[in-house]
Amino acid sequence: MTEHAIEILLVEDNPADVRLTIEALKEGKMKNRLSVARDGLDALAFLRREGAYADAPRPDLVLLDLNLPRMDGRELLAIIKRDEALRRIPVVVLTTSKAEEDILRTYDLHANCYVTKPVDLDQFIEVVKSIDDFWLAVVKLPRE
Amino acid sequence: MDAPLLDARPARPPADATPRERALLLLAEAGALLHASLDPEATLSSVAQLVVPALADWCAIDLADDPPRRVAVAHVDPEKVRFAEEVRRRWPDDPDAPHGVHHVLSTGETEWMGEIPEALLVASARDPEHLEVIRALGLRSYICVPLVARERVLGALSLVNAESGRLFTAGDVALAEDLARRAALAIDNARLFTEAEAARALAEQNADRVRLALDAGRFGPWEWDVAAGRVWWSPAIEAMHGIPEGSFDGTFEGYARDIHPEDRDRLFAGIESLLREGTHHFVRYRIVRPDGQTRWLEAHGRLYRDAAGRPVKLIGVCGDVTEKLLAEKEARRLERERCASHAYALRAEIAEALTTRGDLATVMTRCVEALTSRLGLVAAALWVAEPEGYALIAQAGAPIDGAFARLPFDAGPFRGILDPDGPLVSEGAGDPRLEGRPLPAGASWLGGLRLGHGDQRAGVLGLFAERPLSEDLVGVLSLAAEAIVQSIDRLRAKATLAAYAQELARSNAELQQFAYVASHDLQEPLRMVASYTQLLARRYRGRLDADADDFIAFAVDGVTRMQTLINDLLAYSRVGTRAREPVEVETERVVADVLANLRTELERTGTRTHVGRLPRVRGDAGQLGQLFQNLVANAVKFRGEAPPEVHIDAEPGDGEWTFVVRDNGIGIAPEFHERVFIIFQRLHTRDESPGNGIGLAICKKIVERHGGRIWIESGPGTGAAFHFTLPATAQ
């Protein structure tokens, strides 16, 4: 599709999960560049290009875990979706929680989709690849 | 008034009679009159009539009452009598006058005026009118003699001559005095008679009272002349013995004959002892009357001795007390009945108090309240046994001193009062056993009941009263104590059970929470272990050596199994933690959904399902779905050689439905029917059949959470039927 890499922001505090997501994305077809924020505040600074992130790229997709230190995923989601400059960036909630409550709440906060991390690695890789495919290849997103 | 006497006008003396003859005749007549009646006033009136006109024109008799009272006046003309009375009323006699009735009554001397001087009339007159009236009466001559008997002046007889012009002579005076003496005697006699009459009446009344008293108690007098050996019985005693009046032979043997054989020795021993050294006699004994009746007699007497101290006479009364004894017996019976009914009421009240809803303290408080009000106690209290002694848990009535809050096992102030075999009545406020514990205000008696049998110590019931309770009541209480003990035991067991149940519920909840937290929190690190071992396998299989491949394979397998276990554990714990309020559930629909979910698997295995009419039940639809899904999946999983068939049916029962999920699979041997429901129990090796044995454990938990039971009917090779019950809907 495009020759330049897709920008993905992964908001995840667990390094093992970060690495696993990186590994899973490696197996995808899409060329991508992954940035990682370790908590909600970090992610918000990245998105708003504040401080050390002044030169940060605008992500094409945000992969958001819900349980984060300092500012959790739900809070960050609410801020993103209230922010006119950021609201159009698709946010995929990627979490281990299967709780109905979390699902309902994140959709109410206008998450673009909610995905439960599969326990099985193969399935996880499949899920990450399909997110990649769906949001970055299939879906038509508004131009910036 | 005695009318016939009044009317009996005396015969007139013959006209030719000498004065002497006339006087004698008069006195004879007067004497007859005076002795004929015991009514002195009526008699005096007759005497006055007799005197007029034979002796005088006027006659008046006054009695020496205070003030003097004129009881008789006579004149030939009744008009004159009325006139004279009118005069007297207008001008009453002067008590201090030197002449007249008053003067005679006070001096007891006769006054005689043969001819009344004009000066006297003038001096006596109170006013000119009075003088005129006196003059009009024409009073000429006057005698006034006292009525004297036994040296007492009882009255006065006045004689006056007026119209006739006669003047009283000394002979008239003597005659008048003679007459007066006789009249005085008659009055005195009559008075004595009246007094005697009154005394006699009083005596008779007293006698009547005694007789009534004797009759009332059916008593009669008797005498035993010890020296002469004679016995006298009053008719009343003869009647008591049922023999005709006067038929008692008067012998001691006659007396002894009727005495009941069983009472004879005792009675005679008593009499011997009395004769030897006693004075007062009291015996109660039975007699057998000639008609065969047995009666109870009671004799009271007093023994009289001569100067030498030898018994002379035993005098007394004897009464038939059979009815009295019966009445007493009846009274005692009634009293016992009253007591019993009181006891019954008390027990009923205690029983009622013991059925009060509430904890031990509430129930026991009601109980001591009932005791306090029903027995009129100052206060009542109840202690129950605790490991270190008795603790006060209930009290009623006046406040009980704080020192009573705890009692040692020997029960402190109740020591000794608490007889092991029952209650005991104590001494009271001064009792040293109180050990400085003041009794409540108004109480001077302390009673206690130990609650419990033998070595069992349930508690102590304490009663504080103004005065000691009757032993009967205390006896009743010991019966009530039984019920109280049972109640204490029951309520304590209930409280213990409730505490255990609460503790169990708490520990269950904690365990469930623990299982959930453990399985949930274990998932994250485990996911990492699994993911990276799988990544190892994915990236490096065949790129290291054969050992490395094996090791990676074992690690992946182990971690996968662990993930399954944790997931199952989570699922199992969620049956308890993720429960929803029961609602009405269409089980037919639940089963249809389940079969739809399992369609792929059912088609793959060629399973045929048969679903009967299924009811509505109360429950959690999600969990019931899981229940049916696990059972159907289980049936498919353990299918035999034949094409699997699953039947799902339900039958109504008492307030519940019994469901059956039946298959034609390999079945389960009876010895495993219990084990299949235990979490992580597997009947088959991993190779024979996958799974952790969680499915049926979850089924059991779901059914039990719905208040039902689950069981298996099966044998090897005969298929398995899983039965479970679920509560029916309200209608």
Side-chain angles (χ1 to χ4, degrees), chain A residues 65-87:
Chain A
D65 188 13
L66 287 179
N67 298 311
L68 298 169
R70 299 218 287 167
M71 180 192 282
D72 83 353
R74 300 165 191 88
E75 210 175 329
L76 178 63
L77 177 61
I79 292 169
I80 291 172
K81 291 302 178 185
R82 276 204 305 268
D83 189 322
E84 297 219 345
L86 302 175
R87 67 204 290 174

PDB file of all heavy atoms in Angstrom, chain A residues 65-87:
ATOM      1  N   ASP A  65      -3.582  -0.774  26.281  1.00  0.00           N
ATOM      2  CA  ASP A  65      -3.920  -1.692  27.398  1.00  0.00           C
ATOM      3  C   ASP A  65      -4.740  -0.877  28.393  1.00  0.00           C
ATOM      4  O   ASP A  65      -4.633   0.350  28.447  1.00  0.00           O
ATOM      5  CB  ASP A  65      -2.618  -2.200  28.036  1.00  0.00           C
ATOM      6  CG  ASP A  65      -2.887  -3.300  29.058  1.00  0.00           C
ATOM      7  OD1 ASP A  65      -4.034  -3.819  29.087  1.00  0.00           O
ATOM      8  OD2 ASP A  65      -1.974  -3.623  29.840  1.00  0.00           O
ATOM      9  N   LEU A  66      -5.582  -1.534  29.138  1.00  0.00           N
ATOM     10  CA  LEU A  66      -6.437  -0.779  30.068  1.00  0.00           C
ATOM     11  C   LEU A  66      -5.764  -0.512  31.405  1.00  0.00           C
ATOM     12  O   LEU A  66      -5.892   0.565  31.969  1.00  0.00           O
ATOM     13  CB  LEU A  66      -7.760  -1.510  30.303  1.00  0.00           C
ATOM     14  CG  LEU A  66      -8.748  -1.469  29.125  1.00  0.00           C
ATOM     15  CD1 LEU A  66     -10.014  -2.253  29.486  1.00  0.00           C
ATOM     16  CD2 LEU A  66      -9.098  -0.037  28.753  1.00  0.00           C
ATOM     17  N   ASN A  67      -5.088  -1.541  31.936  1.00  0.00           N
ATOM     18  CA  ASN A  67      -4.512  -1.371  33.274  1.00  0.00           C
ATOM     19  C   ASN A  67      -3.097  -0.850  33.175  1.00  0.00           C
ATOM     20  O   ASN A  67      -2.183  -1.579  32.814  1.00  0.00           O
ATOM     21  CB  ASN A  67      -4.557  -2.697  34.019  1.00  0.00           C
ATOM     22  CG  ASN A  67      -6.004  -3.140  34.201  1.00  0.00           C
ATOM     23  OD1 ASN A  67      -6.861  -2.366  34.632  1.00  0.00           O
ATOM     24  ND2 ASN A  67      -6.292  -4.381  33.811  1.00  0.00           N
ATOM     25  N   LEU A  68      -2.964   0.443  33.487  1.00  0.00           N
ATOM     26  CA  LEU A  68      -1.676   1.107  33.373  1.00  0.00           C
ATOM     27  C   LEU A  68      -1.405   1.900  34.633  1.00  0.00           C
ATOM     28  O   LEU A  68      -2.337   2.355  35.294  1.00  0.00           O
ATOM     29  CB  LEU A  68      -1.719   2.091  32.195  1.00  0.00           C
ATOM     30  CG  LEU A  68      -1.954   1.497  30.808  1.00  0.00           C
ATOM     31  CD1 LEU A  68      -2.245   2.618  29.811  1.00  0.00           C
ATOM     32  CD2 LEU A  68      -0.725   0.712  30.355  1.00  0.00           C
ATOM     33  N   PRO A  69      -0.101   2.115  34.932  1.00  0.00           N
ATOM     34  CA  PRO A  69       0.195   2.993  36.074  1.00  0.00           C
ATOM     35  C   PRO A  69      -0.033   4.466  35.722  1.00  0.00           C
ATOM     36  O   PRO A  69      -0.182   4.801  34.541  1.00  0.00           O
ATOM     37  CB  PRO A  69       1.668   2.699  36.356  1.00  0.00           C
ATOM     38  CG  PRO A  69       2.215   2.108  35.116  1.00  0.00           C
ATOM     39  CD  PRO A  69       1.087   1.514  34.325  1.00  0.00           C
ATOM     40  N   ARG A  70      -0.065   5.275  36.775  1.00  0.00           N
ATOM     41  CA  ARG A  70      -0.212   6.744  36.665  1.00  0.00           C
ATOM     42  C   ARG A  70      -1.542   7.157  36.039  1.00  0.00           C
ATOM     43  O   ARG A  70      -2.403   7.673  36.718  1.00  0.00           O
ATOM     44  CB  ARG A  70       0.949   7.362  35.875  1.00  0.00           C
ATOM     45  CG  ARG A  70       2.305   7.109  36.568  1.00  0.00           C
ATOM     46  CD  ARG A  70       3.185   8.307  36.427  1.00  0.00           C
ATOM     47  NE  ARG A  70       3.696   8.453  35.073  1.00  0.00           N
ATOM     48  CZ  ARG A  70       4.289   9.566  34.623  1.00  0.00           C
ATOM     49  NH1 ARG A  70       4.416  10.601  35.424  1.00  0.00           N
ATOM     50  NH2 ARG A  70       4.753   9.633  33.390  1.00  0.00           N
ATOM     51  N   MET A  71      -1.691   6.997  34.720  1.00  0.00           N
ATOM     52  CA  MET A  71      -3.004   7.263  34.111  1.00  0.00           C
ATOM     53  C   MET A  71      -3.398   6.002  33.369  1.00  0.00           C
ATOM     54  O   MET A  71      -2.668   5.534  32.507  1.00  0.00           O
ATOM     55  CB  MET A  71      -2.922   8.441  33.136  1.00  0.00           C
ATOM     56  CG  MET A  71      -4.259   8.752  32.480  1.00  0.00           C
ATOM     57  SD  MET A  71      -4.083   9.885  31.085  1.00  0.00           S
ATOM     58  CE  MET A  71      -3.891  11.429  31.933  1.00  0.00           C
ATOM     59  N   ASP A  72      -4.556   5.452  33.753  1.00  0.00           N
ATOM     60  CA  ASP A  72      -4.887   4.157  33.142  1.00  0.00           C
ATOM     61  C   ASP A  72      -5.529   4.336  31.769  1.00  0.00           C
ATOM     62  O   ASP A  72      -5.806   5.459  31.328  1.00  0.00           O
ATOM     63  CB  ASP A  72      -5.700   3.275  34.100  1.00  0.00           C
ATOM     64  CG  ASP A  72      -7.173   3.582  34.090  1.00  0.00           C
ATOM     65  OD1 ASP A  72      -7.581   4.567  33.450  1.00  0.00           O
ATOM     66  OD2 ASP A  72      -7.929   2.836  34.747  1.00  0.00           O
ATOM     67  N   GLY A  73      -5.693   3.219  31.092  1.00  0.00           N
ATOM     68  CA  GLY A  73      -6.125   3.230  29.696  1.00  0.00           C
ATOM     69  C   GLY A  73      -7.482   3.883  29.498  1.00  0.00           C
ATOM     70  O   GLY A  73      -7.716   4.573  28.504  1.00  0.00           O
ATOM     71  N   ARG A  74      -8.375   3.690  30.437  1.00  0.00           N
ATOM     72  CA  ARG A  74      -9.733   4.244  30.295  1.00  0.00           C
ATOM     73  C   ARG A  74      -9.692   5.769  30.289  1.00  0.00           C
ATOM     74  O   ARG A  74     -10.358   6.428  29.494  1.00  0.00           O
ATOM     75  CB  ARG A  74     -10.616   3.738  31.441  1.00  0.00           C
ATOM     76  CG  ARG A  74     -10.748   2.225  31.470  1.00  0.00           C
ATOM     77  CD  ARG A  74     -11.319   1.739  32.806  1.00  0.00           C
ATOM     78  NE  ARG A  74     -11.210   0.281  32.923  1.00  0.00           N
ATOM     79  CZ  ARG A  74     -10.152  -0.362  33.399  1.00  0.00           C
ATOM     80  NH1 ARG A  74      -9.088   0.306  33.803  1.00  0.00           N
ATOM     81  NH2 ARG A  74     -10.129  -1.668  33.451  1.00  0.00           N
ATOM     82  N   GLU A  75      -8.841   6.283  31.189  1.00  0.00           N
ATOM     83  CA  GLU A  75      -8.714   7.729  31.324  1.00  0.00           C
ATOM     84  C   GLU A  75      -8.089   8.328  30.056  1.00  0.00           C
ATOM     85  O   GLU A  75      -8.575   9.319  29.512  1.00  0.00           O
ATOM     86  CB  GLU A  75      -7.823   8.020  32.544  1.00  0.00           C
ATOM     87  CG  GLU A  75      -8.137   9.311  33.237  1.00  0.00           C
ATOM     88  CD  GLU A  75      -7.294   9.476  34.503  1.00  0.00           C
ATOM     89  OE1 GLU A  75      -6.960   8.441  35.139  1.00  0.00           O
ATOM     90  OE2 GLU A  75      -6.962  10.611  34.829  1.00  0.00           O
ATOM     91  N   LEU A  76      -7.059   7.649  29.623  1.00  0.00           N
ATOM     92  CA  LEU A  76      -6.372   8.117  28.414  1.00  0.00           C
ATOM     93  C   LEU A  76      -7.317   8.092  27.211  1.00  0.00           C
ATOM     94  O   LEU A  76      -7.383   9.041  26.428  1.00  0.00           O
ATOM     95  CB  LEU A  76      -5.143   7.248  28.125  1.00  0.00           C
ATOM     96  CG  LEU A  76      -4.365   7.599  26.857  1.00  0.00           C
ATOM     97  CD1 LEU A  76      -3.780   9.016  26.944  1.00  0.00           C
ATOM     98  CD2 LEU A  76      -3.247   6.588  26.584  1.00  0.00           C
ATOM     99  N   LEU A  77      -8.096   7.019  27.130  1.00  0.00           N
ATOM    100  CA  LEU A  77      -9.055   6.870  26.033  1.00  0.00           C
ATOM    101  C   LEU A  77     -10.035   8.040  26.027  1.00  0.00           C
ATOM    102  O   LEU A  77     -10.323   8.633  24.977  1.00  0.00           O
ATOM    103  CB  LEU A  77      -9.803   5.530  26.196  1.00  0.00           C
ATOM    104  CG  LEU A  77     -10.897   5.225  25.170  1.00  0.00           C
ATOM    105  CD1 LEU A  77     -10.300   5.154  23.752  1.00  0.00           C
ATOM    106  CD2 LEU A  77     -11.605   3.908  25.524  1.00  0.00           C
ATOM    107  N   ALA A  78     -10.522   8.369  27.224  1.00  0.00           N
ATOM    108  CA  ALA A  78     -11.483   9.470  27.334  1.00  0.00           C
ATOM    109  C   ALA A  78     -10.869  10.776  26.859  1.00  0.00           C
ATOM    110  O   ALA A  78     -11.501  11.556  26.130  1.00  0.00           O
ATOM    111  CB  ALA A  78     -11.958   9.588  28.779  1.00  0.00           C
ATOM    112  N   ILE A  79      -9.607  11.007  27.217  1.00  0.00           N
ATOM    113  CA  ILE A  79      -8.937  12.264  26.817  1.00  0.00           C
ATOM    114  C   ILE A  79      -8.737  12.321  25.306  1.00  0.00           C
ATOM    115  O   ILE A  79      -9.039  13.315  24.652  1.00  0.00           O
ATOM    116  CB  ILE A  79      -7.594  12.416  27.575  1.00  0.00           C
ATOM    117  CG1 ILE A  79      -7.883  12.642  29.072  1.00  0.00           C
ATOM    118  CG2 ILE A  79      -6.769  13.567  27.003  1.00  0.00           C
ATOM    119  CD1 ILE A  79      -6.644  12.540  29.954  1.00  0.00           C
ATOM    120  N   ILE A  80      -8.272  11.196  24.760  1.00  0.00           N
ATOM    121  CA  ILE A  80      -8.042  11.150  23.310  1.00  0.00           C
ATOM    122  C   ILE A  80      -9.333  11.456  22.552  1.00  0.00           C
ATOM    123  O   ILE A  80      -9.360  12.261  21.628  1.00  0.00           O
ATOM    124  CB  ILE A  80      -7.506   9.756  22.873  1.00  0.00           C
ATOM    125  CG1 ILE A  80      -6.079   9.549  23.414  1.00  0.00           C
ATOM    126  CG2 ILE A  80      -7.511   9.616  21.353  1.00  0.00           C
ATOM    127  CD1 ILE A  80      -5.540   8.135  23.210  1.00  0.00           C
ATOM    128  N   LYS A  81     -10.435  10.814  23.028  1.00  0.00           N
ATOM    129  CA  LYS A  81     -11.677  10.953  22.265  1.00  0.00           C
ATOM    130  C   LYS A  81     -12.366  12.299  22.477  1.00  0.00           C
ATOM    131  O   LYS A  81     -13.287  12.656  21.751  1.00  0.00           O
ATOM    132  CB  LYS A  81     -12.639   9.785  22.623  1.00  0.00           C
ATOM    133  CG  LYS A  81     -12.128   8.424  22.106  1.00  0.00           C
ATOM    134  CD  LYS A  81     -11.913   8.431  20.591  1.00  0.00           C
ATOM    135  CE  LYS A  81     -11.352   7.114  20.071  1.00  0.00           C
ATOM    136  NZ  LYS A  81     -11.042   7.193  18.619  1.00  0.00           N
ATOM    137  N   ARG A  82     -11.867  13.063  23.480  1.00  0.00           N
ATOM    138  CA  ARG A  82     -12.411  14.415  23.666  1.00  0.00           C
ATOM    139  C   ARG A  82     -11.551  15.454  22.928  1.00  0.00           C
ATOM    140  O   ARG A  82     -11.962  16.582  22.747  1.00  0.00           O
ATOM    141  CB  ARG A  82     -12.437  14.754  25.160  1.00  0.00           C
ATOM    142  CG  ARG A  82     -13.660  14.240  25.887  1.00  0.00           C
ATOM    143  CD  ARG A  82     -13.903  15.076  27.136  1.00  0.00           C
ATOM    144  NE  ARG A  82     -12.748  15.119  28.008  1.00  0.00           N
ATOM    145  CZ  ARG A  82     -12.528  14.268  29.024  1.00  0.00           C
ATOM    146  NH1 ARG A  82     -13.411  13.311  29.284  1.00  0.00           N
ATOM    147  NH2 ARG A  82     -11.445  14.376  29.753  1.00  0.00           N
ATOM    148  N   ASP A  83     -10.374  15.002  22.551  1.00  0.00           N
ATOM    149  CA  ASP A  83      -9.410  15.921  21.931  1.00  0.00           C
ATOM    150  C   ASP A  83      -9.638  15.943  20.424  1.00  0.00           C
ATOM    151  O   ASP A  83      -9.488  14.932  19.729  1.00  0.00           O
ATOM    152  CB  ASP A  83      -7.983  15.430  22.264  1.00  0.00           C
ATOM    153  CG  ASP A  83      -6.921  16.454  21.848  1.00  0.00           C
ATOM    154  OD1 ASP A  83      -7.093  17.086  20.783  1.00  0.00           O
ATOM    155  OD2 ASP A  83      -5.940  16.595  22.599  1.00  0.00           O
ATOM    156  N   GLU A  84     -10.009  17.131  19.896  1.00  0.00           N
ATOM    157  CA  GLU A  84     -10.364  17.234  18.473  1.00  0.00           C
ATOM    158  C   GLU A  84      -9.209  16.817  17.567  1.00  0.00           C
ATOM    159  O   GLU A  84      -9.410  16.254  16.506  1.00  0.00           O
ATOM    160  CB  GLU A  84     -10.762  18.668  18.152  1.00  0.00           C
ATOM    161  CG  GLU A  84     -11.999  19.085  18.929  1.00  0.00           C
ATOM    162  CD  GLU A  84     -12.933  19.939  18.099  1.00  0.00           C
ATOM    163  OE1 GLU A  84     -12.489  20.438  17.041  1.00  0.00           O
ATOM    164  OE2 GLU A  84     -14.099  20.080  18.500  1.00  0.00           O
ATOM    165  N   ALA A  85      -7.978  17.104  18.025  1.00  0.00           N
ATOM    166  CA  ALA A  85      -6.814  16.800  17.192  1.00  0.00           C
ATOM    167  C   ALA A  85      -6.488  15.322  17.187  1.00  0.00           C
ATOM    168  O   ALA A  85      -5.819  14.837  16.281  1.00  0.00           O
ATOM    169  CB  ALA A  85      -5.603  17.592  17.695  1.00  0.00           C
ATOM    170  N   LEU A  86      -6.969  14.604  18.238  1.00  0.00           N
ATOM    171  CA  LEU A  86      -6.557  13.196  18.364  1.00  0.00           C
ATOM    172  C   LEU A  86      -7.686  12.197  18.119  1.00  0.00           C
ATOM    173  O   LEU A  86      -7.447  11.027  17.887  1.00  0.00           O
ATOM    174  CB  LEU A  86      -6.003  12.955  19.783  1.00  0.00           C
ATOM    175  CG  LEU A  86      -4.813  13.831  20.201  1.00  0.00           C
ATOM    176  CD1 LEU A  86      -4.458  13.579  21.667  1.00  0.00           C
ATOM    177  CD2 LEU A  86      -3.591  13.601  19.315  1.00  0.00           C
ATOM    178  N   ARG A  87      -8.930  12.675  18.217  1.00  0.00           N
ATOM    179  CA  ARG A  87     -10.072  11.764  18.282  1.00  0.00           C
ATOM    180  C   ARG A  87     -10.205  10.835  17.091  1.00  0.00           C
ATOM    181  O   ARG A  87     -10.839   9.808  17.145  1.00  0.00           O
ATOM    182  CB  ARG A  87     -11.358  12.542  18.494  1.00  0.00           C
ATOM    183  CG  ARG A  87     -11.727  13.415  17.310  1.00  0.00           C
ATOM    184  CD  ARG A  87     -12.613  14.575  17.708  1.00  0.00           C
ATOM    185  NE  ARG A  87     -13.954  14.185  18.082  1.00  0.00           N
ATOM    186  CZ  ARG A  87     -14.849  15.043  18.584  1.00  0.00           C
ATOM    187  NH1 ARG A  87     -14.505  16.314  18.788  1.00  0.00           N
ATOM    188  NH2 ARG A  87     -16.039  14.651  18.878  1.00  0.00           N
TER     189      ARG A  87
END
